[in-house]
Amino acid sequence: MKIIICFIIAFLPLNFLRIYFYNFIKDYKILNNSKIGFGSIIIAKRIKIYNSKLGKFNFIKINNLKLDKSNVSNFNIINNFNQLECINESLIGSYNKLIGENIENGNLKMDKSQFTTSHLVNVNNRFELDKDVVFGGKKSLINIGLSNEPTIINRNVYFGSSIYLSAGLKIVSEVLIGSGTIVSESLNKRGLFVSHKIRKII
């Protein structure tokens, strides 16, 4: 029943109507200074959206969603994990897939960080992005595999296009990952890392 109600609300013609009726659902709290794009379906146990923008035709089905001064663009699938928290001007661009294997597991926290476009992100563990972490370009495979260890990316880390990042790794601050790089081990030193076999060049 909740799915049907959320589907109907998503296709109401005006933003203030979508916010008004979403707020009728128990534990949904969306402030009027936010924007919920046409066709965006939000199904969750708890939702808090403050000073944020959710674009058009997104599908979100998770347990907990918190957007605070952050943006989610258009045509994203965010499905089947426990919690997404985007704060402090974080950005999820368009055409991304953020998916898990069990809706009770997986917590993604973004703090002034970004996924650009067309990335596949697995969320099956604790996955934290610190300030100014950017997954740039497109078509990267991010946090792939199952791990009991958290994936922690510290501040000022930039990933180029089409990278592969294994789950359960830790990356220190001030790191650049070149396009096409496979990251299968934690990085404990600053610098630029490139190639299919990870190596530091600076």
Side-chain angles (χ1 to χ4, degrees), residues 119 135-136 138-144 157-166 169 171 175-185 187 191-201:
H119 299 304
F135 286 88
K138 58 184 179 179
K139 295 185 178 178
S140 289
L141 302 176
I142 301 166
N143 203 39
I144 303 302
V157 176
Y158 180 85
F159 296 85
S161 287
S162 302
I163 63 99
Y164 180 100
L165 175 69
S166 296
L169 304 183
I171 297 179
V175 169
L176 297 176
I177 307 292
S179 296
T181 299
I182 297 172
V183 185
S184 57
E185 58 190 52
L187 301 178
L192 170 62
F193 296 83
V194 298
S195 86
H196 291 289
K197 185 176 181 181
I198 191 78
R199 61 188 175 91
K200 182 179 179 182
I201 65 170

Side-chain angles (χ1 to χ4, degrees), residues 47-113:
I47 288 177
K48 295 180 180 179
I49 301 178
Y50 308 137
N51 307 303
S52 297
K53 180 180 177 182
L54 180 65
K56 298 178 181 178
F57 296 105
N58 293 286
F59 177 77
I60 300 174
K61 186 181 179 185
I62 56 178
N63 276 338
N64 303 286
L65 174 66
K66 180 180 178 181
L67 301 179
D68 190 352
K69 297 180 181 177
S70 296
N71 292 332
V72 177
S73 296
N74 308 312
F75 299 100
N76 293 288
I77 296 173
I78 300 172
N79 187 35
N80 208 38
F81 59 94
N82 182 51
Q83 179 169 295
L84 172 62
E85 180 179 356
C86 296
I87 62 174
N88 195 21
E89 299 179 354
S90 290
L91 170 67
I92 297 174
S94 298
Y95 300 101
N96 292 290
K97 294 181 180 179
L98 286 67
I99 56 175
E101 295 188 1
N102 185 333
I103 200 165
E104 300 302 324
N105 296 329
N107 296 286
L108 173 57
K109 181 177 180 179
M110 303 173 63
D111 183 359
K112 197 182 177 184
S113 51

